[in-house]
Amino acid sequence: MNKPATWTIKEAAERSGVSAKMLRHYEQLGLLPPVARTEAGYRLYGEREVHLLRFIRRARDLGFSIAEIAELLALWQNRRRASAQVKRIAQAHIADLDRRMAEMQAMRRSLSELADCCHGDDRPDCPILDDLAQGASP
């Protein structure tokens, strides 16, 4: 019988696309369960852990928070889950992304208007700095 493959933290990081630093961080947060260790104390990761790390990486790529990822991981591992729970999390995340994008578009419009008003020459007067200073007033 063949022994299951195990990898060092560096190898697991390469296989999952997650840095070794983030791998340790995810383990510390409890997203990744503690793994086996060698007698010298080095971590050993198996296919299951690498698969979990790929899941986490993809969720992070989509912008999910650590709390959302923890919830998604729990649902992924629960074969009795209702897909409605997963969809609810995804829809809430979409709404948050929409809100943040609208905020960023408003910031861009404001800054663009200020930049358009600025002569950008050798004169000291600057509507960008004036606007920033107005917001800094007590």
Side-chain angles (χ1 to χ4, degrees):
M1 185 169 167
N2 288 343
K3 182 179 169 187
T6 57
W7 300 288
T8 64
I9 193 166
K10 180 182 176 187
E11 294 165 330
E14 289 170 358
R15 288 178 171 276
S16 66
V18 174
S19 72
K21 181 179 179 179
M22 288 308 295
L23 203 153
R24 285 186 204 93
H25 181 64
Y26 295 147
E27 190 175 331
Q28 186 178 31
L29 291 174
L31 292 179
L32 190 66
V35 296
R37 290 183 179 256
T38 66
E39 287 182 24
Y42 294 105
R43 293 172 171 90
L44 292 175
Y45 298 87
E47 191 60 47
R48 178 178 176 270
E49 290 83 15
V50 169
H51 195 58
L52 284 169
L53 287 165
R54 287 180 184 141
F55 181 101
I56 294 167
R57 186 196 72 226
R58 178 64 179 140
R60 291 298 290 161
D61 288 348
L62 291 173
F64 284 103
S65 69
I66 295 297
E68 290 167 328
I69 293 171
E71 197 172 352
L72 289 167
L73 274 170
L75 288 167
W76 181 48
Q77 294 167 341
N78 175 3
R79 295 292 174 203
R80 293 179 171 209
R81 71 182 172 261
S83 65
Q85 293 173 287
V86 180
K87 186 172 183 175
R88 177 189 50 77
I89 295 167
Q91 288 175 323
H93 185 59
I94 291 166
D96 184 52
L97 289 172
D98 287 342
R99 179 191 54 77
R100 289 191 285 162
M101 288 183 349
E103 288 173 356
M104 291 183 78
Q105 287 171 341
M107 284 188 278
R108 188 191 185 290
R109 276 191 305 275
S110 295
L111 190 54
S112 182
E113 289 170 9
L114 290 169
D116 287 345
C117 293
C118 183
H119 295 288
D121 55 19
D122 291 335
R123 292 186 278 185
D125 55 312
C126 177
I128 299 169
L129 293 176
D130 292 344
D131 183 82
L132 294 172
Q134 286 177 4
S137 299

